[in-house]
Amino acid sequence: MRVPTPNPPPGIIGHNRSMLTPSYAVFPPEGIMDSLLPGWPGCIIRFQASPHMGARFAQALAIIPAGCGSAGALDAGVQHFFYVQQGSLEVTVGGAVHSLPVGGYCYVPEGVPLSVRNAGSDEARAMWVRKRFQPAPGVAMPEPIIGHRDTAEREENGPRWRVLLLGTRRMAMDFEMNIMGYAPGAHFWCVETHVMEHGMVMLEGQCLQRLGREWHELWEGDFVWMGPYVPQQIYATGNANCEYMLYKDVNRDVAL
Ligand code: UGY
Ligand code: MN
């Protein structure tokens, strides 16, 4: 006998905000499927950006139940960045243990052992970014960074602000993670076009985001990948502040 199922909400079949193009992607969180990985027993990894789509980095949401974490040290051949969005995480970076609450983060350079564990009693959720390091001649290797968004350097610019989690213009680093903030009605001053890529996670609020020649409405939890050169501009809508986390590869010449 056929079991009756409720009708899906109107619009869910024919209309969906998910979008993948060669130069950008818009992924609402509800459509991203789970990956289960041997290196993360009991955890769910939801990949948002990866080289499969043309990105030169990988980004995922890691869902880590209480008592779970990485099976051992994560791949030390790449750089890692974790930012805790829910619950708390214990990270061991080069032998030193750090407890990261919501808003806490760690950057771990290539070659430094890193393991992650949820020592709390609630589920933890964290952004996980990985990038292969691009050395620059004469520039020293970066050091690990442990921090919290509330104590990170902050720039105010009228109705806009920026929290520099890994600093900016630090030539040792080949990527930045910044929280970008806009008051309702504020917008970036131009349509930008740059060689750098972005991984963008909406933390709160609403906006219209220009990608190429289209405008996309975004809200909390949405992920956007912007490939090199994609024309982009943000315009904060809604009644509350709009904030998003932004990955950006920086400080390196193009490879010829
Ligand atoms: O710094 C940036 O590239 C930034 N303004 N881009 C963005 O928010 N999409
Ligand atoms: Mn940009």
Side-chain angles (χ1 to χ4, degrees):
M1 196 185 83
R2 193 158 171 256
V3 181
T5 52
N7 279 329
I12 197 141
I13 303 296
H15 302 278
N16 191 279
R17 294 185 302 123
S18 297
M19 174 134 199
L20 175 65
T21 80
S23 55
Y24 68 85
V26 178
F27 293 154
E30 59 275 11
I32 303 180
M33 297 291 108
D34 298 347
S35 292
L36 307 180
L37 304 181
W40 289 94
C43 303
I44 290 171
I45 306 296
R46 295 196 181 138
F47 286 110
Q48 297 154 319
S50 75
H52 299 304
M53 75 200 331
R56 293 169 298 184
F57 66 105
Q59 183 157 356
L61 171 67
I63 303 174
I64 307 172
C68 295
S70 59
L74 293 166
D75 180 5
V78 296
Q79 306 171 94
H80 295 259
F81 172 83
F82 279 90
Y83 177 84
V84 178
Q85 291 184 271
Q86 183 186 308
S88 62
L89 286 180
E90 196 179 85
V91 293
T92 307
V93 179
V97 181
H98 306 271
S99 186
L100 303 181
V102 170
Y105 60 88
C106 68
Y107 159 75
V108 182
E110 172 190 296
V112 175
L114 161 71
S115 59
V116 176
R117 199 172 90 87
N118 179 357
S121 48
D122 299 319
E123 178 182 278
R125 292 185 173 223
M127 281 175 216
W128 179 28
V129 173
R130 282 175 292 165
K131 182 185 184 299
R132 199 163 283 289
F133 183 62
Q134 191 182 339
V139 176
M141 283 291 287
E143 298 289 322
I145 300 171
I146 311 290
H148 192 280
R149 65 160 291 168
D150 292 348
T151 48
E153 185 187 345
R154 187 180 164 104
E155 278 174 355
E156 301 288 344
N157 191 359
R160 302 192 271 130
W161 57 94
R162 189 160 78 138
V163 184
L164 310 163
L165 301 186
L166 303 181
T168 187
R169 298 169 198 275
R170 272 193 202 172
M171 290 301 126
M173 302 290 295
D174 70 355
F175 74 97
E176 289 179 0
M177 297 297 304
N178 297 318
I179 294 174
M180 314 291 285
Y182 289 78
H187 57 83
F188 194 69
W189 55 277
C190 68
V191 177
E192 10 163 11
T193 306
H194 48 62
V195 68
M196 305 87 165
E197 283 184 273
H198 288 310
M200 168 186 188
V201 176
M202 283 291 286
L203 298 174
E204 61 177 85
Q206 282 171 252
C207 69
L208 285 171
Q209 174 68 50
R210 185 180 168 130
L211 297 164
R213 300 200 64 83
E214 295 173 349
W215 287 93
H216 291 261
E217 191 175 9
L218 304 179
W219 52 83
E220 192 178 321
D222 287 345
F223 177 82
V224 175
W225 166 60
M226 297 177 220
Y229 301 112
V230 69
Q232 58 198 256
Q233 187 176 26
I234 185 160
Y235 169 49
T237 54
N239 297 324
N241 288 340
C242 168
E243 275 200 339
Y244 57 96
M245 178 75 80
L246 195 67
Y247 161 93
K248 186 175 188 177
D249 53 312
V250 292
N251 304 333
R252 294 295 182 268
D253 198 356
V254 292
L256 297 178

